[in-house]
Amino acid sequence: KKPLRQRHTMEEKGTTVSPPKTPPRQLRNVAEHVVFAIDVGSDMAVAPFNDRQRKSRMDHVKAVMTKFIHIKAAMSQNHKFAIGILTEVFSLLVSDATKEEVLDLLQQFDSDAAHFDSFDFLSLTNAVEELRTAHTGTEPFVTRVILFYARSTVMPTLTRAQLRKLKQTLFSDPNFILDVVYLYDQPESESTNDGEAESETDGDGAQDRKNLCTRIFHFWQSLDPTATRFRTLAISRDILQLYHGCAGLTAHPFLRPPLHAVSYSIQQEQDDDDGDDGDGGVAEEE
């Protein structure tokens, strides 16, 4: 095995990244108000994962969410949960709910047969801001959105002006966290176009049905280019990656390192006499 060192830092892209501000010690384990935003479009009904039971994306999302909720509730009884669905807009179903209420509602979820041609990202942030405004408690808390998005042909709608305003308001608040679990379809050929915050449409407003997963991924990353508070997990077929990634989300967001501080070692497998095929490489996090 011959290790190949790769350090993924923002400095390599010509961007200087300042270390994120460390929250005061008394705020590092404050209560989390978790808002689940679940895609219910037809893309959630497909079963692309490499599992033997061939369960759908929705089935696996419900499974990882159930584990997440049980773990967070065991960590602290002060954590609160809200849940909503993504169609063409975000619709909040329940807020300030207990673990049992969210789990009962989650079991009723199913993917919609409809294909939604758009998603208004601003509808999600507006709902979150309303939740934060309605909060009447005095104890500090962190608002955390965990978004499951499964569309590879639909760019979220957000103009550059709207993005700039969000970065000056909601996104500038260190107590707001956005984690995106992006479940995408593998494109036949990778697009070389960079993602932008503003989606493109043709004259009648209908979006191109070609696979836009690369641009959509870059859209999610553009919300926090330094990756100091927001996370984007991109998962296609690897079912273990989904469960391992969502297990990592159980950590308190104030206690996890920024992505640009993470170093990876990629080990290149060499052919041995035992005929082991391997998987081509092993990534280890330092």
Side-chain angles (χ1 to χ4, degrees), residues 14-275:
T15 303
T16 301
V17 177
S18 301
K21 294 181 180 179
T22 302
R25 184 173 299 276
Q26 65 269 22
L27 294 181
R28 294 184 190 177
N29 200 27
V30 299
E32 298 177 44
H33 292 190
V34 183
V35 181
F36 296 106
I38 314 299
D39 195 342
V40 294
S42 57
D43 297 285
M44 288 290 281
V46 301
F49 295 116
N50 56 353
D51 62 318
R52 295 181 179 179
Q53 296 179 325
R54 305 297 297 172
K55 291 184 177 180
S56 69
R57 283 172 173 157
M58 179 63 78
D59 291 332
H60 285 295
V61 165
K62 290 163 66 173
V64 298
M65 282 184 57
T66 299
K67 294 178 183 294
F68 178 94
I69 293 169
H70 279 296
I71 292 172
K72 296 303 289 188
M75 288 180 174
S76 173
Q77 296 182 351
N78 294 325
H79 294 325
K80 297 181 180 180
F81 304 99
I83 191 169
I85 59 174
L86 305 184
T87 54
E88 293 183 343
V89 296
F90 173 75
S91 301
L92 184 67
L93 299 180
V94 63
S95 63
D96 198 11
T98 64
K99 176 185 75 173
E100 290 74 17
E101 291 172 336
V102 174
L103 291 176
D104 288 343
L105 181 60
L106 181 61
Q107 297 311 312
Q108 303 174 27
F109 272 36
D110 198 2
S111 54
D112 198 302
H115 174 87
F116 301 107
D117 291 326
S118 64
F119 169 57
D120 181 8
F121 180 74
L122 206 60
S123 66
L124 172 60
T125 58
N126 287 342
V128 171
E129 289 182 315
E130 290 179 5
L131 282 176
R132 289 158 58 89
T133 302
H135 180 72
T136 57
T138 58
E139 294 296 324
F141 67 97
V142 55
T143 302
R144 185 178 183 189
V145 176
I146 300 181
L147 168 64
F148 291 88
Y149 192 79
R151 306 174 194 180
S152 296
T153 61
V154 179
M155 280 287 295
T157 302
L158 185 69
T159 66
R160 292 184 180 88
Q162 291 170 338
L163 178 59
R164 284 194 298 269
K165 184 177 180 180
L166 281 174
K167 289 185 175 181
Q168 295 170 358
T169 54
L170 181 63
F171 289 2
S172 66
D173 186 346
N175 291 324
F176 173 74
I177 306 295
L178 173 63
D179 293 320
V180 178
V181 181
Y182 182 34
L183 308 173
Y184 68 95
D185 296 325
Q186 286 282 0
E188 295 182 0
S189 60
E190 289 290 338
S191 174
T192 58
N193 294 330
D194 291 334
E196 298 179 355
E198 188 172 8
S199 62
E200 296 181 359
T201 59
D202 58 21
D204 61 359
Q207 284 190 322
D208 192 347
R209 293 304 179 90
K210 67 180 181 180
N211 192 308
L212 303 174
C213 67
T214 301
R215 292 185 57 209
I216 295 172
F217 173 73
H218 287 304
F219 167 84
W220 295 124
Q221 286 192 317
S222 72
L223 302 181
D224 182 14
T226 62
T228 53
R229 288 187 293 118
F230 299 175
R231 292 287 188 272
T232 301
L233 304 178
I235 301 164
S236 178
R237 292 179 47 82
D238 192 341
I239 190 62
L240 289 180
Q241 189 180 8
L242 173 64
Y243 281 84
H244 290 171
C246 291
L249 294 180
T250 59
H252 195 286
F254 287 167
L255 301 178
R256 61 190 185 186
L259 289 181
H260 71 263
V262 177
S263 174
Y264 292 93
S265 296
I266 300 177
Q267 293 184 334
Q268 188 177 32
E269 300 288 350
Q270 295 181 348
D271 293 335
D272 297 327
D273 295 335
D274 58 6

